Amino acid sequence: MRLTMSKTVTFAASALLIFSALGSVAARAEDKVLTIYTYESFIAEWGPGAKVKAAFEKTCDCTVKFVGVEDGVALLNRLKLEGATGSADIALGLDTNLVAEAKETGLFAPHGIDTSAVTVPGGFKDDVFVPYDYGHFAVVYDSKVLKNPPHSMKDLVDGDPSQKIVIEDPRTSTPGLGLLLWVKSVYGKDAPKAWEKLKNRVLTVTPGWSEAYGLFTKGEAPMVFSYTTSPAYHMIEEHTDRYKAAEFSEGHYIQIEVAGMLKNSKHKELAQAFLRFMLTPGFQDQIPTNNWMMPVAKTSSPLPAAFDTLVKPTRTFLMSPEEVASHRKAWIAEWQTAMAK
C-alpha cells in the first residue's frame, strides 16, 4: 500500500511538473504575440500583410496578429473607443493628417528608434509615429470609358455630372479625408460651394478605399478617388494601361502613412523591433507592388519600370497635422452640409 501510494504521489508530482511546464511554454508563446491594428487592404489577399508577417516572424521568434478595420480614420476611431483597454500593440495605417489628433488621445508612446533612413517629399519626422510609405492622391479613370478626364480640380468640380466618380467618406477613410483637404487647399473658404457642385458627379460615398476601388473596377463609375500609383497595379498584375491617373495642374495632395506603438502594449520591445523592421528592405520591398505606394526607405532592388510611367506631381499639398486637427470636424461638417443640399 505504501509503495502504491508512493507511486501515485510521484506520478501526480510528475504530471504537475509537466502541466506546469506546458503552461509556462503556452504563456511564453502567448506573450510573444504582437497585435497590429491596420486597414483592410493592407491584410487583403493581394496586400502586403502576409508577406510582412512572414518576414518579421523569421526575425522575432514571435507571432504577428493583424486586426483589420475599414480604413485609417476608422482605425483611429476604434482606438479611441477601446481606450486603455484595447489589445493593440501597434496601430499601422494612420497618416500625417491624423497624427496630432492621435497624440491627443494619450494612447501612444514615443517610438525611441532611429528614423534617419526615412525620405519623403517635404520631409516628416516625429518622435511617436514612424512613416512606412507615401503616395499622392489622384483621380483614377477608365480610359476606355472616359476620353476627356479632368486635368485640374476645377475640371473635376465643374465637369459633366453624367461622368460619375466614387469617393470615400472623410469620417472613416484617410483617402476621403485627403480629398476633403485637397479641395480645401485649392478652394479655401469657397470649398463648400465646390462640394455643392462636385456632389452632382459623385455616384456614391464609401466607408473605405477598398469598396470605392471595387466599384470602379466593376464598371460602376468611370472615375474613383485613389492614388497616382494605382495604375501601376494594373500594368504589372493585369498587363493593361487602361486605368490611368489624371494629372492636376494645381498639384496633388500627398498621404504619408505611419505606424505607432500603443502605451498599453505588453510587448514594447517587440513593437519597437517591428517599427525598426518597417524601415528595412524586408518591409519596404513589399510596399511598391503589394500596397501600391512609394517606399520611404531603401529597398533591395529598384522600382519596377511601370513606376517610371506614373504621374509625377509638380506641386505637393500637405497641411500640418496641427492645422488638420484644429479644423477637421468643422470641415467635415461643411462637407456634410454641402453634400446634403
Side-chain angles (χ1 to χ4, degrees), residues 88-110:
D89 297 296
I90 288 175
L92 184 154
L94 304 179
D95 66 13
T96 52
N97 295 321
L98 296 173
V99 298
E101 190 173 337
K103 286 180 181 179
E104 288 174 1
T105 66
L107 295 173
F108 289 89

Side-chain angles (χ1 to χ4, degrees), residues 98-311:
L98 296 173
V99 298
E101 190 173 337
K103 286 180 181 179
E104 288 174 1
T105 66
L107 295 173
F108 289 89
H111 54 68
I113 68 170
D114 179 12
T115 60
S116 58
V118 171
T119 302
V120 295
F124 177 79
K125 189 173 183 179
D126 192 81
D127 63 349
V128 174
F129 292 99
V130 180
Y132 63 89
D133 71 14
Y134 73 91
H136 285 86
F137 291 117
V139 171
V140 174
Y141 66 97
D142 184 343
S143 65
K144 286 190 176 181
V145 178
L146 191 63
K147 302 303 180 183
N148 296 300
H151 296 291
S152 67
M153 185 62 73
K154 186 177 187 304
D155 284 352
L156 178 66
V157 168
D158 295 332
D160 182 356
S162 69
Q163 300 292 340
K164 299 296 185 182
I165 184 171
V166 182
I167 66 172
E168 300 86 358
D169 194 323
R171 295 168 294 181
T172 53
S173 165
T174 51
L177 179 59
L179 178 57
L180 182 81
L181 300 177
W182 193 357
V183 170
K184 180 60 72 170
S185 296
V186 172
Y187 282 93
K189 62 181 177 59
D190 292 325
K193 293 179 182 178
W195 279 113
E196 287 179 28
K197 291 183 179 180
L198 183 56
K199 73 172 184 178
N200 296 319
R201 302 196 75 177
V202 175
L203 176 71
T204 190
V205 180
T206 64
W209 176 88
S210 295
E211 300 94 327
Y213 211 80
L215 289 172
F216 167 68
T217 54
K218 288 175 182 176
E220 296 295 325
M223 295 183 288
V224 65
F225 191 70
S226 191
Y227 298 88
T228 59
T229 48
S230 297
Y233 166 80
H234 301 285
M235 286 187 275
I236 293 171
E237 296 295 327
E238 299 176 347
H239 310 291
T240 179
D241 61 358
R242 173 178 177 173
Y243 304 104
K244 302 178 184 295
E247 184 172 3
F248 278 17
S249 58
E250 304 100 335
H252 293 247
Y253 202 96
I254 194 173
Q255 179 180 51
I256 303 169
E257 295 192 297
V258 300
M261 175 175 63
L262 279 298
K263 272 185 182 178
N264 65 330
S265 169
K266 297 177 181 177
H267 317 293
K268 287 189 172 62
E269 289 185 5
L270 193 57
Q272 286 177 315
F274 184 87
L275 295 176
R276 281 192 292 269
F277 167 74
M278 289 195 320
L279 304 181
T280 68
F283 185 102
Q284 291 293 302
D285 282 354
Q286 309 307 325
I287 293 302
T289 56
N290 288 287
N291 215 36
W292 303 99
M293 296 282 275
M294 300 297 291
V296 300
K298 187 176 180 181
T299 57
S300 62
S301 58
L303 293 176
F307 280 77
D308 294 332
T309 69
L310 302 178
V311 168

